[in-house]
Amino acid sequence: MSTQNSSNHKGPLNAVKVLDFSTLLPGPYATAMLVDLGAEVIRVESPTRVDLLKVLPPLKNGQSLIHLGLNRGKKSVAINLKTPEGLDLAKRLVSEADVLVEQFRPGVMSRLGLDYQTLSQVNPKLIYCSITGYGQSGPYAHRAGHDINYLALSGVASYSGRLGEGPRLSGVQIADIAGGSHPAVIAILAALFERVHSGQGRYLDISMSDGALALNALTASAAAHSEAPSYGETFLNSGTLYDYYQSSDGRWLSVGSLEPQFAQGLLMTLGHPEWFKESLYPPRQQAKLKHKLTQVFASKSFAEWCEVFDQVDCCVEPVLTLKEALEHPLFKNRGLVKTELIDETEFIYVASPLSTAFPETQVDLAHDLGQDTDEILGNLGLSEVELEELRSKKVIKSTK
């Protein structure tokens, strides 16, 4: 694979080396954010077990677009960790690393001989981050789970939906990213700062269900002391005019006109300033107003409403398709949508929002399995003869 940019990382983490043992979404997205901050991220991959992200469609030039975007800028070393030689190589990599990220169920890394207690003896400055569904301790520690389960157990799903309809699925993985990836990155950055003063590493236990529970920031304390929120009962879950409304051609508009000045602007634009008093009613008492708004929005097409609200600052925006969002001037201007070349073919991906704060960071695309094995292990002092012996024993895999 040829890419337009090199791996010449800059940015605030340009001296930080990260070993990434994770697959799928939470860990890889966390390390992608570290890449966007300039860190050198090395994916430690199995030579034989395929990362599912690499085969998920759609494909471009035979490669998964999801993998290419999510694992951008990361190097790849392929090592069989179930062999004594592979375990030794992993420990030698750890001796020079600053951070390790893994996403196995509790106990897997210990069985491999790569748990924090063992590796902290190899490198006392190592920051070791484990991302799991339910944490390293507690009755659910070894239980399987997905994003939908963490949102369910955390109570988030219990009021994320409409009255009479029940919980609704989100198009993005809220608990995986907001409850897993983001807390992992924050904890890693805090541990790196702490290490400057302490000289010691730290073990970080990141639970996606913990993170999902913490997302109830506006409602948890009130629920603990009073009644828990339910569908359509709050200002922000369709209990007020704050909602989505369908246009005459089946598209949708988002209305966030909660504050009085925005509600006034909305209703004046719609030609019904006399409805303003109803917009001040508490949740669950705006049903009549919402019915009238539904009828008004159904009277014009999506394009017509976009034109109407384009110059009106009242928190009304169109619901864009993802393709439309990628082409929107807002994100184009912010520089979040990136374009690179894969074998002279254009590849578009979305960088993390951190990249706009540190635009000097240079990131290339995802590397092939084992593409950097020889270089990385060579930097550890292994000779070509030793590398060839390891290849012949299927301890490592190189892509030359």
Side-chain angles (χ1 to χ4, degrees), residues 124-373:
K125 294 185 176 182
L126 180 68
I127 294 164
Y128 191 116
C129 180
S130 296
I131 305 173
T132 58
Y134 302 111
Q136 299 293 312
S137 60
Y140 275 38
H142 296 279
R143 193 179 181 95
H146 279 296
D147 185 87
I148 188 174
N149 307 124
Y150 314 141
L151 294 175
L153 286 173
S154 65
V156 172
S158 72
Y159 61 104
S160 298
R162 295 183 182 279
L163 185 64
E165 297 181 9
R168 288 198 168 189
L169 286 169
S170 169
V172 298
Q173 288 64 53
I174 298 172
D176 283 359
I177 295 176
S181 307
H182 289 169
V185 171
I186 294 168
I188 288 168
L189 296 178
L192 286 168
F193 182 78
E194 177 190 53
R195 194 180 67 177
V196 173
H197 306 284
S198 70
Q200 295 296 309
R202 177 179 284 272
Y203 181 72
L204 307 173
D205 174 7
I206 303 298
S207 159
M208 288 178 274
S209 53
D210 287 356
L213 182 65
L215 294 177
N216 295 289
L218 289 176
T219 51
S221 294
H225 293 276
S226 182
E227 293 184 9
S230 188
Y231 309 111
E233 290 187 348
T234 75
F235 282 98
L236 302 175
N237 75 343
S238 77
T240 63
L241 59 76
Y242 186 98
D243 211 334
Y244 297 106
Y245 297 87
Q246 195 169 29
S247 62
S248 63
D249 53 350
R251 296 288 300 266
W252 295 85
L253 284 298
S254 68
V255 174
S257 312
L258 280 178
E259 294 83 352
Q261 70 272 26
F262 296 136
Q264 196 168 41
L266 165 70
L267 297 174
M268 289 183 65
T269 302
L270 296 179
H272 292 282
E274 71 276 11
W275 296 347
F276 175 67
K277 185 178 179 180
E278 294 177 69
S279 73
L280 303 178
Y281 292 171
R284 297 199 70 175
Q285 294 184 30
Q286 296 189 23
K288 291 183 179 179
L289 172 60
K290 293 185 67 174
H291 178 69
K292 289 185 285 190
L293 290 175
T294 298
Q295 291 181 318
V296 172
F297 275 102
S299 69
K300 293 182 185 293
S301 70
F302 179 77
E304 288 175 309
W305 284 125
C306 288
E307 184 176 355
V308 167
F309 285 103
D310 185 52
Q311 301 301 318
V312 181
D313 190 19
C314 64
C315 302
V316 175
E317 299 294 348
V319 176
L320 302 179
T321 67
L322 183 51
K323 183 175 279 293
E324 288 171 337
L326 293 173
E327 298 169 352
H328 195 278
L330 166 64
F331 302 113
K332 289 281 191 179
N333 178 267
R334 295 288 296 166
L336 210 61
V337 181
K338 308 287 186 180
T339 301
E340 303 293 349
L341 295 178
I342 309 174
D343 298 327
E344 301 184 358
T345 300
E346 188 176 77
F347 170 65
I348 300 170
Y349 70 97
V350 178
S352 79
L354 300 177
S355 64
T356 61
F358 300 96
E360 69 273 17
T361 304
Q362 301 295 315
V363 177
D364 63 3
L365 297 181
H367 289 199
D368 293 329
L369 174 67
Q371 181 175 332
D372 308 287
T373 299

